[in-house]
């Protein structure tokens, strides 16, 4: 877990922020610097894909956000909108997660199954354990609230602070929110079902 946290801090927080300021100092416009700095996460994703030849749901979202950043930079040249577009995606994800609460498998159940070392065991437990299903529905609700809260804070910061401040704050905000939600998911799922030692990491 410590290694995962350190990797996240390096790849998802420090390197993109450093890349942004480095690219701006080299003369790139803020909008394109933001779009290009997101490529750090894509490079890391590509390295993982080379090793495993698999693309998870979360990995697909990274690619979508990167491509949208390039499109927004090309069409608008607005650095603040390049920042906001990530949170538009996050808001859509939150709404999509909310909609899955009425389906057979809610959002968090799908994500945890994707990342489970034994999907067949996950499926078996899902079919026989009502409490297992209820816990994943509660956790999906928690993620919906957390993601919408992240969007509200981020949009306020982006449009009320200097751009450099907004880049740093949003660069830290998203990983912190995701790590917090992941940690709560791990703890609650583990405590409720005695899976503390076998619950798959989500990052």
């Amino acid at each position: 877990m410590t290694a995962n946290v350190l990797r996240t801090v390096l790849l998802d927080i420090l390197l993109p922020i450093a890349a942004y300021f480095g690219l701006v100092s080299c003369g790139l416009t803020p909008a394109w610097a933001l779009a290009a700095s997101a490529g750090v996460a894509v490079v890391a994703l590509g390295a993982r894909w080379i090793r495993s030849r698999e693309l998870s749901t979360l990995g697909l979202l990274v690619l979508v956000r990167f491509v949208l950043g390039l499109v927004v930079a090309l069409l608008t040249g607005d650095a603040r909108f390049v920042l906001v577009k990530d949170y538009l995606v996050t808001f859509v994800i939150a709404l999509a997660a909310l909609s899955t609460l009425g389906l057979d498998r809610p959002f968090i159940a799908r994500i945890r199954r994707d990342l489970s070392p034994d999907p067949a065991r996950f499926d078996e437990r899902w079919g026989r354990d009502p409490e297992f299903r209820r816990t994943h529905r509660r956790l999906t609700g928690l993620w919906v609230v957390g993601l919408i809260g992240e969007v509200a804070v981020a949009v306020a910061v982006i449009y009320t602070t200097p751009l450099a401040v907004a880049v740093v704050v949003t660069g830290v905000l998203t990983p912190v929110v995701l790590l917090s939600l992941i940690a709560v998911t791990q703890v609650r799922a583990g405590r409720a079902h005695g899976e503390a030692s076998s619950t798959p990491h989500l990052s």
Side-chain angles (χ1 to χ4, degrees), residues 3 14 77 139 156 167 178 181:
L14 298 182
L139 288 170
V167 169
L178 290 179
L181 289 171

Side-chain angles (χ1 to χ4, degrees), residues 173-195:
L173 177 65
T174 295
V176 167
V177 169
L178 290 179
L179 283 174
S180 298
L181 289 171
I182 288 168
V184 171
T185 299
Q186 297 290 90
V187 171
R188 289 189 62 175
R191 286 180 177 174
H193 309 294
E195 297 176 353

Side-chain angles (χ1 to χ4, degrees), residues 94-188:
L95 293 181
L98 179 63
S99 71
T100 67
L101 288 172
L103 302 179
D104 177 57
R105 291 197 184 187
F107 175 73
I108 290 302
R110 295 171 185 271
I111 295 295
R112 292 189 77 231
R113 185 193 182 279
D114 279 353
L115 298 176
S116 172
D118 190 351
R121 180 174 178 272
F122 188 98
D123 290 341
E124 185 273 332
R125 185 157 196 174
W126 184 263
R128 68 175 170 80
D129 190 340
E131 183 60 26
F132 190 69
R133 296 193 294 272
R134 280 194 293 271
T135 295
H136 283 81
R137 293 190 189 283
R138 294 188 194 106
L139 288 170
T140 296
L142 176 67
W143 276 72
V144 170
V145 172
L147 293 177
I148 291 176
E150 176 195 351
V151 171
V153 171
V155 172
V157 168
I158 290 168
Y159 285 109
T160 61
T161 66
L163 181 60
V165 173
V167 169
V168 174
V169 171
T170 57
V172 173
L173 177 65
T174 295
V176 167
V177 169
L178 290 179
L179 283 174
S180 298
L181 289 171
I182 288 168
V184 171
T185 299
Q186 297 290 90
V187 171
R188 289 189 62 175

Side-chain angles (χ1 to χ4, degrees), residues 16 18 26 35-36 43 49 56-57 61 70 81 101 106 129 157 169 182 188:
C26 290
V43 171
W49 182 84
S56 68
T57 302
L61 291 176
L70 293 178
F81 194 66
L101 288 172
D129 190 340
V157 168
V169 171
I182 288 168
R188 289 189 62 175

